[in-house]
Amino acid sequence: MSATETLRPDSPAQILRVTGLQKHFPVRGGILGRQKARVQAVDGVSFAVEEGETLGIVGESGCGKSTTARLLVGLIDRDRGDVRFDGRTLGKDLTLRDLRRGMQMVFQDSYASLNPRLTIEESIAFGARIQGLSDPVGRARDLMDRVGLDPARFAQRYPHEVSGGQRQRINIARALAMSPKIVVLDEAVSALDKSVEAQVLNLLADLRAEFGLTYIFISHDLNVVRYISDRILVMYLGEVVELAPVDLIWSRQAHPYTRSLFSAMPSMDPDNRTEEPPLTGDPPNPINPPSGCRFHTRCKFAEAVCARDVPVMRDISGGQGHLAACHLHDTASGHSRAGEEGLT
Ligand code: SF4
């Protein structure tokens, strides 16, 4: 695990504090269905989010970002790790029910997230009604208005009668109906056309300000993450490898993996082209991840120490909150080569 030093110092401003989150999925086989191996989907992830902040989570497909989201909202059980939400710790003074009410999730597939037999108004009111919140229908109509869906036109329609962008607005309203403090958006705009995507991103920014929301925004699209996030967390093979305020990481990617991700990003700006070759090859098998730094099998800077020792997350910005887990930045051990390799 490399992520134990990812945490900011404890503070009352933190609405979410995750420590050592771990999820290994069993792989079963044979007639008796015995466990043969474990997929290390999330392995020791730690981070803290302050109230009103948007934390973007990026990484290749299979890096563990969506599993992390599902663990946070309690859709799947964690093997290990502490989740502290709004000053209370899950499993101690915080129940799963309270966590789910305070932390809502919006998924990529806007259609699969909705019950096709419920009208839009009923869909939005459903959760609030189950939770015993007052006036669920009035609440639903008000939220439809806030997300840009005229209740007079849309309340009695069904999910198949509206567009993808409108369905995602319904899902956002449905999440807000529970009066959450945090909304986890898992690739929530990825399936939308670019023009609709921009409208929904602007809507999310407006709603964040209006309701004082905190977002955890998961996406493979770095430009989208940059637009909406205050900080960016980069995951590779179940671990956190870099975490930084968006401006810092945009001007300087300290971890070679992050650098590769950024170099693969399309840019129309001729002054913003990188010479860095994009990432090649598939990620290693998460059932048996590489020793030491998990990225060493794909890293052009790898040395013997990388296969041997697990790099620890360190602040590389003199206290500005830019952290990376890479031996190139480990000045204490004598392995630091970040300056020579142009990663400073
Ligand atoms: Fe590359 Fe070594 Fe840094 Fe891992 S620790 S990213 S292998 S240089």
Side-chain angles (χ1 to χ4, degrees):
M1 291 183 215
S2 67
T4 50
E5 293 191 12
T6 315
L7 286 176
R8 293 168 161 182
D10 206 351
S11 108
Q14 289 170 4
I15 191 159
L16 180 69
R17 189 173 174 87
V18 179
T19 317
L21 195 63
Q22 185 187 77
K23 182 68 187 177
H24 293 182
F25 292 105
V27 178
R28 300 187 188 281
I31 298 172
L32 299 175
R34 289 209 173 102
Q35 182 178 311
K36 291 166 65 184
R38 293 175 77 79
V39 175
Q40 300 182 23
V42 171
D43 208 18
V45 165
S46 302
F47 60 87
V49 186
E50 294 193 354
E51 193 157 15
E53 182 182 36
T54 297
L55 177 72
I57 303 183
V58 300
E60 289 170 291
S61 174
C63 70
K65 52 190 191 304
S66 289
T67 304
T68 299
R70 283 163 170 73
L71 289 168
L72 289 179
V73 298
L75 283 179
I76 47 178
D77 292 333
R78 65 201 191 284
D79 296 339
R80 283 191 195 159
D82 289 330
V83 176
R84 203 187 71 197
F85 169 66
D86 208 13
R88 293 184 292 159
T89 303
L90 185 60
K92 292 181 181 168
D93 51 353
L94 176 70
T95 64
L96 197 54
R97 181 185 161 98
D98 285 344
L99 177 80
R100 284 181 177 156
R101 183 165 159 182
M103 216 188 302
Q104 290 289 304
M105 190 156 171
V106 178
F107 298 89
Q108 176 176 4
D109 189 337
S110 63
Y111 193 69
S113 306
L114 294 168
N115 185 336
R117 296 182 186 191
L118 294 185
T119 63
I120 291 169
E121 182 183 86
E122 288 166 342
S123 280
I124 298 171
F126 183 79
R129 185 174 282 127
I130 295 291
Q131 292 279 347
L133 301 180
S134 61
D135 189 17
V137 171
R139 208 182 181 89
R141 289 190 155 248
D142 180 47
L143 282 167
M144 287 179 71
D145 217 15
R146 304 278 182 99
V147 300
L149 295 172
D150 178 6
R153 280 181 60 211
F154 289 95
Q156 298 310 315
R157 292 196 196 176
Y158 287 86
H160 69 272
E161 296 177 312
V162 299
S163 70
Q166 288 164 342
R167 268 199 301 274
Q168 208 54 312
R169 287 172 189 264
I170 298 165
N171 281 310
I172 292 166
R174 208 169 58 126
L176 296 183
M178 305 296 287
S179 300
K181 293 199 167 183
I182 298 181
V183 180
V184 180
L185 299 135
D186 186 7
E187 302 280 7
V189 296
S190 304
L192 305 178
D193 293 343
K194 278 293 161 196
S195 61
V196 180
E197 178 186 90
Q199 291 168 15
V200 175
L201 283 173
N202 287 332
L203 170 69
L204 288 170
D206 291 345
L207 293 172
R208 182 175 84 157
E210 186 178 347
F211 291 95
L213 296 168
T214 302
Y215 289 151
I216 296 177
F217 191 90
I218 295 165
S219 177
H220 64 279
D221 186 331
L222 286 166
N223 279 313
V224 167
V225 173
R226 180 191 191 185
Y227 176 75
I228 195 135
S229 305
D230 299 301
R231 290 188 301 148
I232 293 181
L233 180 148
V234 184
M235 287 188 71
Y236 182 74
L237 218 56
E239 295 183 336
V240 179
V241 296
E242 189 161 356
L243 173 64
V246 70
D247 291 343
L248 287 186
I249 204 168
W250 217 260
S251 58
R252 171 202 179 198
Q253 301 91 50
H255 195 283
Y257 172 64
T258 312
R259 217 176 180 199
S260 301
L261 276 186
F262 274 66
S263 70
M265 188 175 59
S267 173
M268 299 300 286
D269 180 359
D271 296 328
N272 197 23
R273 301 267 161 83
T274 171
E275 299 302 316
E276 189 79 10
L279 199 57
T280 55
D282 294 327
N285 189 341
I287 288 176
N288 187 22
S291 59
C293 171
R294 292 187 174 183
F295 188 55
H296 84 258
T297 53
R298 303 166 84 190
C299 180
K300 69 175 184 176
F301 304 112
E303 291 195 335
V305 63
C306 301
R308 193 185 62 225
D309 297 341
V310 177
V312 172
M313 288 288 280
R314 298 176 194 285
D315 189 318
I316 56 163
S317 59
Q320 293 182 66
H322 192 165
L323 298 100
C326 172
H327 292 303
L328 287 172
H329 298 280
D330 185 0
T331 45
S333 71
H335 296 301
S336 173
R337 291 181 286 122
E340 296 156 43
E341 308 293 2
L343 290 162
T344 56

